[in-house]
Amino acid sequence: MAQASGMASLEFRLPDLGEGLTEAEIVRWLVRVGDVVAVDQPVVEVETAKAMVEVPCPYGGVVTARFGEEGTELPVGSPLLTVAVGADASDGAPAVNGSDGAPAANGSGAASGSGSGNVLVGYGTTAPAARRRRVRAGARGAGEAQPVAPQAPAVPAAAAPSAVPVAPAGAPAPTGRGGGPVPVISPLVRRLARENGLDLRQLSGSGPDGLILRGDVEQALRAPAAGGTTAAVRPGPAAPATASAAAAAAPAPSPSAASAVRVPLKGVRGAVADKLSRSRREIPDATCWVDADATELMAARAAMNSVGNGPKVSVLALLARVCTAALARFPELNSTVDTEAREIVRLSEVHLGFAAQTERGLVVPVVRDAHTRSVESLGEELVRLTDAAREGRLTPAQLTGGTFTLNNYGVFGVDGSTPIINHPEAAMLGVGRIVPKPWVHEGQLAVRQVVQLSLTFDHRVCDGGTAGGFLRYVADCVEHPALLLRTL
């Protein structure tokens, strides 16, 4: 069908989301073909290796095509959607994205059918825009721009995936789980179902408004083994008779090969694998450790929490404050190595990363300017970032730029570890569980709260004397928290 007179179609491609990310997975479309979108309105939710991102479209108009189904991975620069805009807004304007996937600036304008002119960096356009209510084409007034018939532009097959066929706006919404949208928010749930061949449309979610949770998928996966019929597994295509005869004559696979499970190294898991492998390849690391009596530290925490009605001070916040004090005395460990220049770069600011385990995997949020914060401020920021990590709301900027990492693996009930340095940092402090143990205190055998501390460091930035001095100072602060008063 020909496009309406006076309208032009512009293609919006997946922008560079920053921090070297090259691809993203479509989690949820926020618009349909035929919808009217405003400038900088979020149109799709994608998952990168580091965060969940709502991508805004820098052009306003009518959506004429979408590219990629939910669950599809797209490289940066691939088409996301096309938008029909007024001819006056597009005359002489460059494409929304260049051939390399980087967005191109355009003339500004706030009306529908115009572009924001903002370059998409990190999370999208730089202009903050409130989430706008999605307007259906059939619900517009007579004074608004008329919609065009949904039509995908001519896109070379080698340059873009096939457009997803979607019913235009105004068509009746599909009824029943079989044809409607699947109520799933978590990409982990989608991936778990996809890797096990489970059809989410056959499940009834136990969450609010029928939301399908991870437990629903796990229960459905257990049901077939127990003889249940909760979930339906998508059957493969029927094989022809000749193929069946050939399969019968072929040797059966070994039990180990038949039962093996292959897990793709992508998303967060893939990013972690790449970073840890690079750390092991490039950094000549060494580890030293020491046991410390944390009884006085725990007593100090209890005393601080007994005063006032403010937020409780956590052990992690106290240890973060100890780290910043130790780095002030041993700045060699707050550095990085420039391999090309063959230089050690000592950093003046401490951006403290801390390891956090989430459903999406291990992430390391970063507390900016930790060296300027009090124990209370550190605690508040740790709580805020931890909540954001568990909810999948961390931005790429909150997951990068750390200069030193604190890893509290004691929450897993273990005493010690030899952590891998978070490249390109130069050191990581590991903290085991704090448990009652026999300890010689003031010449007498007593039961004390003992913790094992371990430091993994880049041997290029310092020798064992510096690393040992840092770790010994940390242990002294744990055993005698009053030492921290000297750094205030």
Side-chain angles (χ1 to χ4, degrees):
M1 182 179 295
Q3 199 170 59
S5 176
M7 305 293 286
S9 182
L10 292 178
E11 183 181 83
F12 175 45
R13 302 186 178 216
L14 178 64
D16 180 0
L17 300 173
E19 303 299 339
L21 298 174
T22 59
E23 61 187 7
E25 178 180 335
I26 296 177
V27 175
R28 183 165 57 105
W29 281 104
L30 305 178
V31 296
R32 296 191 298 180
V33 170
D35 285 354
V36 175
V37 295
V39 174
D40 292 345
Q41 175 181 333
V43 293
V44 65
E45 186 179 62
V46 301
E47 180 186 18
T48 71
K50 296 180 178 179
M52 298 281 286
V53 181
E54 284 189 350
V55 180
C57 179
Y59 280 83
V62 180
V63 177
T64 56
R66 299 187 323 194
F67 299 91
E69 299 179 355
E70 294 179 354
T72 302
E73 277 196 353
L74 296 179
V76 169
S78 296
L80 275 178
L81 50 78
T82 55
V83 179
V85 301
D88 56 340
S90 60
D91 288 343
V96 182
N97 295 90
S99 60
D100 59 352
N106 188 48
S108 60
S112 176
S114 63
S116 69
N118 294 310
V119 178
L120 292 160
V121 175
Y123 254 14
T125 60
T126 55
R131 180 81 175 267
R132 296 173 173 84
R133 180 175 62 86
R134 191 168 66 192
V135 182
R136 300 297 179 197
R140 286 190 296 272
E144 299 186 15
Q146 295 300 312
V148 298
Q151 178 184 10
V155 180
S162 300
V164 179
V166 183
T175 58
R177 183 66 53 81
V182 181
V184 178
I185 294 178
S186 171
L188 178 66
V189 174
R190 290 183 180 274
R191 182 176 293 116
L192 182 62
R194 184 168 63 250
E195 291 174 352
N196 289 276
L198 183 63
D199 188 354
L200 287 173
R201 300 181 186 276
Q202 304 301 322
L203 299 187
S204 297
S206 60
D209 299 324
L211 181 68
I212 297 177
L213 307 177
R214 179 176 182 176
D216 300 326
V217 174
E218 292 175 342
Q219 181 180 1
L221 294 176
R222 290 192 298 266
T229 58
T230 306
V233 179
R234 296 172 181 170
T242 55
S244 300
S254 63
S256 58
S259 60
V261 176
R262 291 179 176 267
V263 180
L265 274 176
K266 63 179 184 178
V268 172
R269 187 72 262 162
V272 170
D274 293 340
K275 195 162 193 176
L276 296 182
S277 297
R278 183 178 182 184
S279 178
R280 276 291 193 229
R281 286 195 309 269
E282 296 185 7
I283 300 178
D285 58 341
T287 302
C288 54
W289 57 89
V290 66
D291 289 341
D293 181 0
T295 306
E296 295 301 325
L297 182 73
M298 302 303 288
R301 173 176 176 261
M304 296 174 70
N305 289 335
S306 66
V307 179
N309 298 321
K312 300 299 182 183
V313 176
S314 66
V315 175
L316 189 62
L318 290 172
L319 292 172
R321 182 66 186 88
V322 170
C323 283
T324 59
L327 290 172
R329 287 181 170 243
F330 300 91
E332 297 91 337
L333 294 168
N334 192 57
S335 62
T336 186
V337 175
D338 186 339
T339 55
E340 293 185 1
R342 293 185 61 83
E343 293 176 342
I344 298 173
V345 183
R346 293 184 181 173
L347 306 169
S348 56
E349 295 85 13
V350 177
H351 302 315
L352 185 67
F354 64 98
Q357 193 70 36
T358 71
E359 285 191 349
R360 296 182 68 236
L362 178 68
V363 295
V364 184
V366 177
V367 178
R368 303 288 170 182
D369 299 315
H371 60 294
T372 66
R373 297 176 180 267
S374 64
V375 172
E376 290 78 8
S377 176
L378 286 168
E380 291 174 357
E381 189 68 358
L382 289 169
V383 169
R384 185 182 72 85
L385 291 173
T386 299
D387 290 343
R390 290 172 178 169
E391 296 169 6
R393 294 186 289 103
L394 288 175
T395 66
Q398 293 172 317
L399 290 166
T400 53
T403 63
F404 184 92
T405 296
L406 173 62
N407 186 359
N408 180 21
Y409 45 75
V411 297
F412 302 120
V414 298
D415 296 323
S417 174
T418 55
I420 299 178
I421 295 174
N422 187 24
H423 186 280
E425 299 170 13
M428 177 185 293
L429 178 69
V431 182
R433 60 177 180 163
I434 302 176
V435 292
K437 289 184 178 180
W439 190 266
V440 176
H441 177 66
E442 297 180 351
Q444 300 292 326
L445 186 63
V447 176
R448 306 285 286 182
Q449 299 292 321
V450 179
V451 62
Q452 185 179 100
L453 306 170
S454 61
L455 176 71
T456 297
F457 64 99
D458 186 339
H459 223 313
R460 296 172 298 179
V461 305
C462 68
D463 296 325
T466 301
F470 175 93
L471 187 59
R472 186 64 256 172
Y473 180 79
V474 170
D476 290 344
C477 288
V478 168
E479 294 183 343
H480 309 287
L483 288 175
L484 288 174
L485 296 175
R486 296 181 181 178
T487 65
L488 299 177

